Structure formats: C-alpha cells, structure tokens
Amino acid sequence: EDVAQDVFCKLWTKRELWLDNDREPDSYLFTMTKNMVLNIFKHRQIEQDYQTEQAEKTFLYELTEKEGILNDVYYKEMLLIIRLTLEKMPKRRREIFELSRFSGLSHKEIAEKLDISIRSVEHQVYLALIELKKALLFFIILANIFK
C-alpha cells in the first residue's frame, strides 16, 4: 500500500487543517502517517484472524462431516474433552461458563446472581472459551494424525 500517496491526498483534500494554521504541517504529516500505518496493521490482523478462523472451521468440517461412520465417535470424544476441560478450570470460571452456556443466562444475570461485575463475567467466559478451543484443537489435530 502506498502510505505516502494516501497521506498527501488526504492533506490535499483537508487543506483547512494545515493551510491557515499556526502549527507546522509536520505534526499533521507525522500523525496522519502513523494512523494510516496502524490502520494497515489492524486491517491485516483482522484478515489474518478471519483466515485462521475459516481454516479451523474447514478443518473441523472435514474431520467430522466427511467421516460419516466416525461422526458419533468424534462427537462423544469431543464432549468428553469438553467435560474434562471444564473440570480442570477454576471452580468460579466453570460456574460462570456453565451459567452462560448451559443455563442460558446473560452476562448481566450472572453478574447479579454471583454479585460480581459484568466485566468479570465476560472475562471468565472469554478465558473458558480459550481453554476449550485449545483442548478441542489439540484433539482435532491428534484425531487427524491417528486417522
């Protein structure tokens, strides 16, 4: 991407920012360049995250959907891994996750029930999902190796 060209185009179209101003255009130039570069990195990270997510979904689909006879076995093993992973979690995290996913309570309802902040509930659910994702990905990789 041509950052320099984008910066100068933006400076040209937004001349009021620097034309009749006491400040030097250098500060605008630096800030605009920095922001554009950060936006490029952010956009690339979003693209990379999306591609990783799609690859994981495709891999899981190929592992389960194409193996008709083994679907039930994989399903039962994945449930076992989910149960084992939940049992290894700290009690409070497991409780929050189960209230969220199995009881269908909102984060606000969980926070009120357990007398904690909504942010704490969100964070514990996030951590639980990361642990489960790691365990399931490990299972999928092993299942694919020994297929």
Side-chain angles (χ1 to χ4, degrees), residues 73-103:
V73 174
Y74 286 137
Y75 180 74
K76 287 177 183 174
E77 287 179 356
M78 279 196 247
L79 285 179
L80 177 62
I81 287 174
I82 289 170
R83 277 193 223 112
L84 291 172
T85 304
L86 286 172
E87 286 177 20
K88 286 181 11 183
M89 286 182 193
K91 184 181 177 210
R92 188 66 148 189
R93 181 175 302 156
R94 181 178 63 243
E95 179 184 14
I96 290 169
F97 183 80
E98 288 174 348
L99 288 170
S100 171
R101 293 306 196 260
F102 302 146
S103 300

PDB file of all heavy atoms in Angstrom, residues 73-103:
ATOM      1  N   VAL A  73     -18.496 -41.139  17.093  1.00  0.00           N
ATOM      2  CA  VAL A  73     -17.311 -41.347  17.944  1.00  0.00           C
ATOM      3  C   VAL A  73     -16.631 -40.018  18.229  1.00  0.00           C
ATOM      4  O   VAL A  73     -16.320 -39.700  19.381  1.00  0.00           O
ATOM      5  CB  VAL A  73     -16.325 -42.330  17.273  1.00  0.00           C
ATOM      6  CG1 VAL A  73     -15.041 -42.429  18.080  1.00  0.00           C
ATOM      7  CG2 VAL A  73     -16.970 -43.691  17.085  1.00  0.00           C
ATOM      8  N   TYR A  74     -16.408 -39.224  17.172  1.00  0.00           N
ATOM      9  CA  TYR A  74     -15.774 -37.917  17.358  1.00  0.00           C
ATOM     10  C   TYR A  74     -16.611 -37.037  18.275  1.00  0.00           C
ATOM     11  O   TYR A  74     -16.090 -36.346  19.144  1.00  0.00           O
ATOM     12  CB  TYR A  74     -15.576 -37.205  16.018  1.00  0.00           C
ATOM     13  CG  TYR A  74     -14.472 -37.781  15.175  1.00  0.00           C
ATOM     14  CD1 TYR A  74     -14.647 -37.970  13.810  1.00  0.00           C
ATOM     15  CD2 TYR A  74     -13.240 -38.114  15.722  1.00  0.00           C
ATOM     16  CE1 TYR A  74     -13.638 -38.494  13.027  1.00  0.00           C
ATOM     17  CE2 TYR A  74     -12.224 -38.644  14.947  1.00  0.00           C
ATOM     18  CZ  TYR A  74     -12.422 -38.836  13.597  1.00  0.00           C
ATOM     19  OH  TYR A  74     -11.427 -39.343  12.827  1.00  0.00           O
ATOM     20  N   TYR A  75     -17.913 -37.064  18.078  1.00  0.00           N
ATOM     21  CA  TYR A  75     -18.807 -36.239  18.876  1.00  0.00           C
ATOM     22  C   TYR A  75     -18.695 -36.610  20.360  1.00  0.00           C
ATOM     23  O   TYR A  75     -18.543 -35.740  21.218  1.00  0.00           O
ATOM     24  CB  TYR A  75     -20.242 -36.407  18.380  1.00  0.00           C
ATOM     25  CG  TYR A  75     -21.255 -35.602  19.146  1.00  0.00           C
ATOM     26  CD1 TYR A  75     -21.340 -34.223  18.979  1.00  0.00           C
ATOM     27  CD2 TYR A  75     -22.124 -36.210  20.045  1.00  0.00           C
ATOM     28  CE1 TYR A  75     -22.256 -33.473  19.686  1.00  0.00           C
ATOM     29  CE2 TYR A  75     -23.048 -35.469  20.756  1.00  0.00           C
ATOM     30  CZ  TYR A  75     -23.111 -34.104  20.570  1.00  0.00           C
ATOM     31  OH  TYR A  75     -24.016 -33.355  21.283  1.00  0.00           O
ATOM     32  N   LYS A  76     -18.743 -37.901  20.655  1.00  0.00           N
ATOM     33  CA  LYS A  76     -18.656 -38.349  22.047  1.00  0.00           C
ATOM     34  C   LYS A  76     -17.291 -38.009  22.653  1.00  0.00           C
ATOM     35  O   LYS A  76     -17.197 -37.609  23.810  1.00  0.00           O
ATOM     36  CB  LYS A  76     -18.928 -39.850  22.144  1.00  0.00           C
ATOM     37  CG  LYS A  76     -20.379 -40.190  21.937  1.00  0.00           C
ATOM     38  CD  LYS A  76     -20.623 -41.681  21.966  1.00  0.00           C
ATOM     39  CE  LYS A  76     -22.092 -41.989  21.676  1.00  0.00           C
ATOM     40  NZ  LYS A  76     -22.348 -43.415  21.565  1.00  0.00           N
ATOM     41  N   GLU A  77     -16.236 -38.163  21.863  1.00  0.00           N
ATOM     42  CA  GLU A  77     -14.897 -37.828  22.367  1.00  0.00           C
ATOM     43  C   GLU A  77     -14.768 -36.326  22.609  1.00  0.00           C
ATOM     44  O   GLU A  77     -14.156 -35.905  23.589  1.00  0.00           O
ATOM     45  CB  GLU A  77     -13.830 -38.312  21.388  1.00  0.00           C
ATOM     46  CG  GLU A  77     -13.656 -39.816  21.396  1.00  0.00           C
ATOM     47  CD  GLU A  77     -12.606 -40.306  20.414  1.00  0.00           C
ATOM     48  OE1 GLU A  77     -12.053 -39.482  19.647  1.00  0.00           O
ATOM     49  OE2 GLU A  77     -12.339 -41.508  20.409  1.00  0.00           O
ATOM     50  N   MET A  78     -15.348 -35.522  21.726  1.00  0.00           N
ATOM     51  CA  MET A  78     -15.289 -34.071  21.922  1.00  0.00           C
ATOM     52  C   MET A  78     -16.062 -33.676  23.169  1.00  0.00           C
ATOM     53  O   MET A  78     -15.610 -32.808  23.923  1.00  0.00           O
ATOM     54  CB  MET A  78     -15.837 -33.345  20.690  1.00  0.00           C
ATOM     55  CG  MET A  78     -14.822 -33.243  19.579  1.00  0.00           C
ATOM     56  SD  MET A  78     -15.313 -32.018  18.384  1.00  0.00           S
ATOM     57  CE  MET A  78     -15.624 -33.047  16.975  1.00  0.00           C
ATOM     58  N   LEU A  79     -17.219 -34.282  23.396  1.00  0.00           N
ATOM     59  CA  LEU A  79     -17.971 -33.987  24.623  1.00  0.00           C
ATOM     60  C   LEU A  79     -17.160 -34.363  25.860  1.00  0.00           C
ATOM     61  O   LEU A  79     -17.158 -33.636  26.856  1.00  0.00           O
ATOM     62  CB  LEU A  79     -19.307 -34.739  24.631  1.00  0.00           C
ATOM     63  CG  LEU A  79     -20.397 -34.187  23.720  1.00  0.00           C
ATOM     64  CD1 LEU A  79     -21.653 -35.042  23.821  1.00  0.00           C
ATOM     65  CD2 LEU A  79     -20.712 -32.740  24.047  1.00  0.00           C
ATOM     66  N   LEU A  80     -16.465 -35.492  25.796  1.00  0.00           N
ATOM     67  CA  LEU A  80     -15.628 -35.915  26.915  1.00  0.00           C
ATOM     68  C   LEU A  80     -14.517 -34.892  27.158  1.00  0.00           C
ATOM     69  O   LEU A  80     -14.246 -34.521  28.299  1.00  0.00           O
ATOM     70  CB  LEU A  80     -15.039 -37.303  26.647  1.00  0.00           C
ATOM     71  CG  LEU A  80     -14.093 -37.848  27.709  1.00  0.00           C
ATOM     72  CD1 LEU A  80     -14.820 -38.012  29.042  1.00  0.00           C
ATOM     73  CD2 LEU A  80     -13.490 -39.163  27.260  1.00  0.00           C
ATOM     74  N   ILE A  81     -13.891 -34.428  26.096  1.00  0.00           N
ATOM     75  CA  ILE A  81     -12.819 -33.432  26.226  1.00  0.00           C
ATOM     76  C   ILE A  81     -13.377 -32.132  26.800  1.00  0.00           C
ATOM     77  O   ILE A  81     -12.749 -31.502  27.655  1.00  0.00           O
ATOM     78  CB  ILE A  81     -12.121 -33.206  24.875  1.00  0.00           C
ATOM     79  CG1 ILE A  81     -11.259 -34.428  24.569  1.00  0.00           C
ATOM     80  CG2 ILE A  81     -11.293 -31.934  24.872  1.00  0.00           C
ATOM     81  CD1 ILE A  81     -10.619 -34.449  23.244  1.00  0.00           C
ATOM     82  N   ILE A  82     -14.558 -31.740  26.368  1.00  0.00           N
ATOM     83  CA  ILE A  82     -15.179 -30.528  26.912  1.00  0.00           C
ATOM     84  C   ILE A  82     -15.427 -30.699  28.411  1.00  0.00           C
ATOM     85  O   ILE A  82     -15.085 -29.822  29.206  1.00  0.00           O
ATOM     86  CB  ILE A  82     -16.489 -30.200  26.164  1.00  0.00           C
ATOM     87  CG1 ILE A  82     -16.163 -29.718  24.749  1.00  0.00           C
ATOM     88  CG2 ILE A  82     -17.309 -29.160  26.918  1.00  0.00           C
ATOM     89  CD1 ILE A  82     -17.364 -29.592  23.835  1.00  0.00           C
ATOM     90  N   ARG A  83     -15.975 -31.859  28.808  1.00  0.00           N
ATOM     91  CA  ARG A  83     -16.228 -32.108  30.232  1.00  0.00           C
ATOM     92  C   ARG A  83     -14.932 -32.093  31.041  1.00  0.00           C
ATOM     93  O   ARG A  83     -14.860 -31.495  32.113  1.00  0.00           O
ATOM     94  CB  ARG A  83     -16.945 -33.446  30.414  1.00  0.00           C
ATOM     95  CG  ARG A  83     -18.422 -33.340  30.214  1.00  0.00           C
ATOM     96  CD  ARG A  83     -19.153 -34.588  30.707  1.00  0.00           C
ATOM     97  NE  ARG A  83     -20.155 -34.922  29.719  1.00  0.00           N
ATOM     98  CZ  ARG A  83     -20.142 -35.993  28.940  1.00  0.00           C
ATOM     99  NH1 ARG A  83     -19.204 -36.879  29.052  1.00  0.00           N
ATOM    100  NH2 ARG A  83     -21.096 -36.197  28.067  1.00  0.00           N
ATOM    101  N   LEU A  84     -13.901 -32.762  30.528  1.00  0.00           N
ATOM    102  CA  LEU A  84     -12.621 -32.809  31.244  1.00  0.00           C
ATOM    103  C   LEU A  84     -11.998 -31.423  31.354  1.00  0.00           C
ATOM    104  O   LEU A  84     -11.438 -31.065  32.389  1.00  0.00           O
ATOM    105  CB  LEU A  84     -11.659 -33.776  30.552  1.00  0.00           C
ATOM    106  CG  LEU A  84     -12.016 -35.257  30.631  1.00  0.00           C
ATOM    107  CD1 LEU A  84     -11.086 -36.077  29.744  1.00  0.00           C
ATOM    108  CD2 LEU A  84     -11.962 -35.742  32.071  1.00  0.00           C
ATOM    109  N   THR A  85     -12.081 -30.650  30.275  1.00  0.00           N
ATOM    110  CA  THR A  85     -11.523 -29.295  30.289  1.00  0.00           C
ATOM    111  C   THR A  85     -12.271 -28.426  31.296  1.00  0.00           C
ATOM    112  O   THR A  85     -11.654 -27.661  32.038  1.00  0.00           O
ATOM    113  CB  THR A  85     -11.592 -28.671  28.883  1.00  0.00           C
ATOM    114  OG1 THR A  85     -10.921 -29.533  27.954  1.00  0.00           O
ATOM    115  CG2 THR A  85     -10.932 -27.303  28.853  1.00  0.00           C
ATOM    116  N   LEU A  86     -13.589 -28.557  31.329  1.00  0.00           N
ATOM    117  CA  LEU A  86     -14.380 -27.794  32.303  1.00  0.00           C
ATOM    118  C   LEU A  86     -14.018 -28.182  33.738  1.00  0.00           C
ATOM    119  O   LEU A  86     -13.923 -27.323  34.615  1.00  0.00           O
ATOM    120  CB  LEU A  86     -15.878 -28.003  32.067  1.00  0.00           C
ATOM    121  CG  LEU A  86     -16.466 -27.289  30.850  1.00  0.00           C
ATOM    122  CD1 LEU A  86     -17.903 -27.734  30.614  1.00  0.00           C
ATOM    123  CD2 LEU A  86     -16.387 -25.784  31.010  1.00  0.00           C
ATOM    124  N   GLU A  87     -13.796 -29.469  33.979  1.00  0.00           N
ATOM    125  CA  GLU A  87     -13.441 -29.923  35.326  1.00  0.00           C
ATOM    126  C   GLU A  87     -12.097 -29.385  35.788  1.00  0.00           C
ATOM    127  O   GLU A  87     -11.875 -29.187  36.975  1.00  0.00           O
ATOM    128  CB  GLU A  87     -13.449 -31.453  35.385  1.00  0.00           C
ATOM    129  CG  GLU A  87     -14.842 -32.048  35.383  1.00  0.00           C
ATOM    130  CD  GLU A  87     -14.840 -33.570  35.364  1.00  0.00           C
ATOM    131  OE1 GLU A  87     -13.801 -34.171  35.721  1.00  0.00           O
ATOM    132  OE2 GLU A  87     -15.866 -34.144  34.986  1.00  0.00           O
ATOM    133  N   LYS A  88     -11.178 -29.166  34.862  1.00  0.00           N
ATOM    134  CA  LYS A  88      -9.842 -28.643  35.203  1.00  0.00           C
ATOM    135  C   LYS A  88      -9.852 -27.142  35.466  1.00  0.00           C
ATOM    136  O   LYS A  88      -8.907 -26.604  36.028  1.00  0.00           O
ATOM    137  CB  LYS A  88      -8.858 -28.955  34.072  1.00  0.00           C
ATOM    138  CG  LYS A  88      -8.452 -30.403  34.013  1.00  0.00           C
ATOM    139  CD  LYS A  88      -7.464 -30.750  32.918  1.00  0.00           C
ATOM    140  CE  LYS A  88      -6.827 -29.600  32.216  1.00  0.00           C
ATOM    141  NZ  LYS A  88      -5.947 -29.956  31.121  1.00  0.00           N
ATOM    142  N   MET A  89     -10.906 -26.447  35.045  1.00  0.00           N
ATOM    143  CA  MET A  89     -10.968 -24.996  35.216  1.00  0.00           C
ATOM    144  C   MET A  89     -11.172 -24.646  36.688  1.00  0.00           C
ATOM    145  O   MET A  89     -11.723 -25.444  37.446  1.00  0.00           O
ATOM    146  CB  MET A  89     -12.153 -24.423  34.424  1.00  0.00           C
ATOM    147  CG  MET A  89     -11.953 -24.383  32.956  1.00  0.00           C
ATOM    148  SD  MET A  89     -13.415 -23.640  32.178  1.00  0.00           S
ATOM    149  CE  MET A  89     -13.089 -24.086  30.491  1.00  0.00           C
ATOM    150  N   PRO A  90     -10.766 -23.439  37.062  1.00  0.00           N
ATOM    151  CA  PRO A  90     -11.098 -22.967  38.411  1.00  0.00           C
ATOM    152  C   PRO A  90     -12.620 -23.009  38.597  1.00  0.00           C
ATOM    153  O   PRO A  90     -13.382 -22.768  37.652  1.00  0.00           O
ATOM    154  CB  PRO A  90     -10.574 -21.526  38.424  1.00  0.00           C
ATOM    155  CG  PRO A  90      -9.540 -21.483  37.359  1.00  0.00           C
ATOM    156  CD  PRO A  90      -9.969 -22.466  36.315  1.00  0.00           C
ATOM    157  N   LYS A  91     -13.044 -23.307  39.816  1.00  0.00           N
ATOM    158  CA  LYS A  91     -14.471 -23.522  40.109  1.00  0.00           C
ATOM    159  C   LYS A  91     -15.333 -22.343  39.653  1.00  0.00           C
ATOM    160  O   LYS A  91     -16.380 -22.524  39.030  1.00  0.00           O
ATOM    161  CB  LYS A  91     -14.651 -23.761  41.606  1.00  0.00           C
ATOM    162  CG  LYS A  91     -16.065 -24.074  41.981  1.00  0.00           C
ATOM    163  CD  LYS A  91     -16.218 -24.282  43.485  1.00  0.00           C
ATOM    164  CE  LYS A  91     -17.686 -24.527  43.790  1.00  0.00           C
ATOM    165  NZ  LYS A  91     -18.064 -24.076  45.085  1.00  0.00           N
ATOM    166  N   ARG A  92     -14.909 -21.145  39.961  1.00  0.00           N
ATOM    167  CA  ARG A  92     -15.702 -19.949  39.634  1.00  0.00           C
ATOM    168  C   ARG A  92     -15.834 -19.786  38.117  1.00  0.00           C
ATOM    169  O   ARG A  92     -16.900 -19.472  37.610  1.00  0.00           O
ATOM    170  CB  ARG A  92     -15.042 -18.726  40.263  1.00  0.00           C
ATOM    171  CG  ARG A  92     -15.855 -17.469  40.173  1.00  0.00           C
ATOM    172  CD  ARG A  92     -17.106 -17.584  40.999  1.00  0.00           C
ATOM    173  NE  ARG A  92     -17.436 -16.274  41.505  1.00  0.00           N
ATOM    174  CZ  ARG A  92     -18.363 -16.054  42.386  1.00  0.00           C
ATOM    175  NH1 ARG A  92     -19.045 -17.047  42.884  1.00  0.00           N
ATOM    176  NH2 ARG A  92     -18.625 -14.850  42.806  1.00  0.00           N
ATOM    177  N   ARG A  93     -14.732 -20.000  37.373  1.00  0.00           N
ATOM    178  CA  ARG A  93     -14.760 -19.873  35.919  1.00  0.00           C
ATOM    179  C   ARG A  93     -15.721 -20.900  35.316  1.00  0.00           C
ATOM    180  O   ARG A  93     -16.510 -20.578  34.443  1.00  0.00           O
ATOM    181  CB  ARG A  93     -13.367 -20.064  35.325  1.00  0.00           C
ATOM    182  CG  ARG A  93     -13.336 -19.907  33.811  1.00  0.00           C
ATOM    183  CD  ARG A  93     -11.935 -19.976  33.271  1.00  0.00           C
ATOM    184  NE  ARG A  93     -11.132 -18.939  33.910  1.00  0.00           N
ATOM    185  CZ  ARG A  93      -9.812 -18.987  34.026  1.00  0.00           C
ATOM    186  NH1 ARG A  93      -9.126 -20.001  33.543  1.00  0.00           N
ATOM    187  NH2 ARG A  93      -9.147 -18.022  34.631  1.00  0.00           N
ATOM    188  N   ARG A  94     -15.641 -22.133  35.820  1.00  0.00           N
ATOM    189  CA  ARG A  94     -16.519 -23.196  35.323  1.00  0.00           C
ATOM    190  C   ARG A  94     -17.985 -22.846  35.608  1.00  0.00           C
ATOM    191  O   ARG A  94     -18.849 -22.983  34.745  1.00  0.00           O
ATOM    192  CB  ARG A  94     -16.162 -24.532  35.967  1.00  0.00           C
ATOM    193  CG  ARG A  94     -17.027 -25.689  35.462  1.00  0.00           C
ATOM    194  CD  ARG A  94     -16.643 -27.018  36.062  1.00  0.00           C
ATOM    195  NE  ARG A  94     -16.838 -27.047  37.509  1.00  0.00           N
ATOM    196  CZ  ARG A  94     -15.873 -27.216  38.396  1.00  0.00           C
ATOM    197  NH1 ARG A  94     -14.626 -27.415  38.004  1.00  0.00           N
ATOM    198  NH2 ARG A  94     -16.133 -27.225  39.676  1.00  0.00           N
ATOM    199  N   GLU A  95     -18.235 -22.351  36.813  1.00  0.00           N
ATOM    200  CA  GLU A  95     -19.601 -21.996  37.198  1.00  0.00           C
ATOM    201  C   GLU A  95     -20.153 -20.897  36.285  1.00  0.00           C
ATOM    202  O   GLU A  95     -21.283 -20.991  35.782  1.00  0.00           O
ATOM    203  CB  GLU A  95     -19.621 -21.532  38.656  1.00  0.00           C
ATOM    204  CG  GLU A  95     -20.976 -21.115  39.153  1.00  0.00           C
ATOM    205  CD  GLU A  95     -20.933 -20.579  40.577  1.00  0.00           C
ATOM    206  OE1 GLU A  95     -19.831 -20.278  41.098  1.00  0.00           O
ATOM    207  OE2 GLU A  95     -22.010 -20.446  41.171  1.00  0.00           O
ATOM    208  N   ILE A  96     -19.354 -19.877  36.047  1.00  0.00           N
ATOM    209  CA  ILE A  96     -19.774 -18.764  35.188  1.00  0.00           C
ATOM    210  C   ILE A  96     -20.025 -19.263  33.767  1.00  0.00           C
ATOM    211  O   ILE A  96     -21.034 -18.930  33.140  1.00  0.00           O
ATOM    212  CB  ILE A  96     -18.723 -17.630  35.207  1.00  0.00           C
ATOM    213  CG1 ILE A  96     -18.723 -16.957  36.572  1.00  0.00           C
ATOM    214  CG2 ILE A  96     -18.982 -16.625  34.097  1.00  0.00           C
ATOM    215  CD1 ILE A  96     -17.563 -16.011  36.807  1.00  0.00           C
ATOM    216  N   PHE A  97     -19.124 -20.085  33.259  1.00  0.00           N
ATOM    217  CA  PHE A  97     -19.270 -20.598  31.900  1.00  0.00           C
ATOM    218  C   PHE A  97     -20.532 -21.453  31.774  1.00  0.00           C
ATOM    219  O   PHE A  97     -21.283 -21.331  30.804  1.00  0.00           O
ATOM    220  CB  PHE A  97     -18.038 -21.410  31.487  1.00  0.00           C
ATOM    221  CG  PHE A  97     -18.116 -21.901  30.081  1.00  0.00           C
ATOM    222  CD1 PHE A  97     -17.808 -21.064  29.022  1.00  0.00           C
ATOM    223  CD2 PHE A  97     -18.509 -23.203  29.800  1.00  0.00           C
ATOM    224  CE1 PHE A  97     -17.893 -21.503  27.718  1.00  0.00           C
ATOM    225  CE2 PHE A  97     -18.593 -23.656  28.501  1.00  0.00           C
ATOM    226  CZ  PHE A  97     -18.289 -22.808  27.449  1.00  0.00           C
ATOM    227  N   GLU A  98     -20.759 -22.319  32.744  1.00  0.00           N
ATOM    228  CA  GLU A  98     -21.940 -23.193  32.686  1.00  0.00           C
ATOM    229  C   GLU A  98     -23.232 -22.387  32.789  1.00  0.00           C
ATOM    230  O   GLU A  98     -24.213 -22.697  32.110  1.00  0.00           O
ATOM    231  CB  GLU A  98     -21.860 -24.252  33.782  1.00  0.00           C
ATOM    232  CG  GLU A  98     -20.794 -25.298  33.484  1.00  0.00           C
ATOM    233  CD  GLU A  98     -20.571 -26.294  34.616  1.00  0.00           C
ATOM    234  OE1 GLU A  98     -21.064 -26.064  35.748  1.00  0.00           O
ATOM    235  OE2 GLU A  98     -19.885 -27.302  34.371  1.00  0.00           O
ATOM    236  N   LEU A  99     -23.246 -21.343  33.619  1.00  0.00           N
ATOM    237  CA  LEU A  99     -24.428 -20.488  33.696  1.00  0.00           C
ATOM    238  C   LEU A  99     -24.672 -19.771  32.367  1.00  0.00           C
ATOM    239  O   LEU A  99     -25.821 -19.604  31.940  1.00  0.00           O
ATOM    240  CB  LEU A  99     -24.281 -19.458  34.823  1.00  0.00           C
ATOM    241  CG  LEU A  99     -24.385 -19.988  36.248  1.00  0.00           C
ATOM    242  CD1 LEU A  99     -23.977 -18.914  37.253  1.00  0.00           C
ATOM    243  CD2 LEU A  99     -25.789 -20.498  36.537  1.00  0.00           C
ATOM    244  N   SER A 100     -23.586 -19.386  31.719  1.00  0.00           N
ATOM    245  CA  SER A 100     -23.699 -18.679  30.447  1.00  0.00           C
ATOM    246  C   SER A 100     -24.130 -19.603  29.319  1.00  0.00           C
ATOM    247  O   SER A 100     -25.087 -19.324  28.606  1.00  0.00           O
ATOM    248  CB  SER A 100     -22.353 -18.031  30.098  1.00  0.00           C
ATOM    249  OG  SER A 100     -22.376 -17.521  28.790  1.00  0.00           O
ATOM    250  N   ARG A 101     -23.433 -20.722  29.173  1.00  0.00           N
ATOM    251  CA  ARG A 101     -23.653 -21.576  28.007  1.00  0.00           C
ATOM    252  C   ARG A 101     -24.700 -22.663  28.209  1.00  0.00           C
ATOM    253  O   ARG A 101     -25.426 -22.993  27.289  1.00  0.00           O
ATOM    254  CB  ARG A 101     -22.337 -22.221  27.570  1.00  0.00           C
ATOM    255  CG  ARG A 101     -21.320 -21.224  27.032  1.00  0.00           C
ATOM    256  CD  ARG A 101     -21.926 -20.390  25.905  1.00  0.00           C
ATOM    257  NE  ARG A 101     -20.950 -19.695  25.123  1.00  0.00           N
ATOM    258  CZ  ARG A 101     -20.638 -18.414  25.264  1.00  0.00           C
ATOM    259  NH1 ARG A 101     -21.230 -17.697  26.186  1.00  0.00           N
ATOM    260  NH2 ARG A 101     -19.744 -17.850  24.489  1.00  0.00           N
ATOM    261  N   PHE A 102     -24.786 -23.222  29.407  1.00  0.00           N
ATOM    262  CA  PHE A 102     -25.698 -24.339  29.622  1.00  0.00           C
ATOM    263  C   PHE A 102     -27.038 -23.891  30.216  1.00  0.00           C
ATOM    264  O   PHE A 102     -28.063 -24.486  29.930  1.00  0.00           O
ATOM    265  CB  PHE A 102     -25.058 -25.400  30.517  1.00  0.00           C
ATOM    266  CG  PHE A 102     -23.767 -25.944  29.956  1.00  0.00           C
ATOM    267  CD1 PHE A 102     -22.743 -26.305  30.797  1.00  0.00           C
ATOM    268  CD2 PHE A 102     -23.575 -26.089  28.594  1.00  0.00           C
ATOM    269  CE1 PHE A 102     -21.537 -26.807  30.291  1.00  0.00           C
ATOM    270  CE2 PHE A 102     -22.386 -26.587  28.077  1.00  0.00           C
ATOM    271  CZ  PHE A 102     -21.366 -26.948  28.927  1.00  0.00           C
ATOM    272  N   SER A 103     -27.004 -22.841  31.042  1.00  0.00           N
ATOM    273  CA  SER A 103     -28.254 -22.350  31.626  1.00  0.00           C
ATOM    274  C   SER A 103     -28.851 -21.204  30.822  1.00  0.00           C
ATOM    275  O   SER A 103     -29.975 -20.781  31.068  1.00  0.00           O
ATOM    276  CB  SER A 103     -28.021 -21.895  33.073  1.00  0.00           C
ATOM    277  OG  SER A 103     -27.559 -22.984  33.847  1.00  0.00           O
TER     278      SER A 103
END
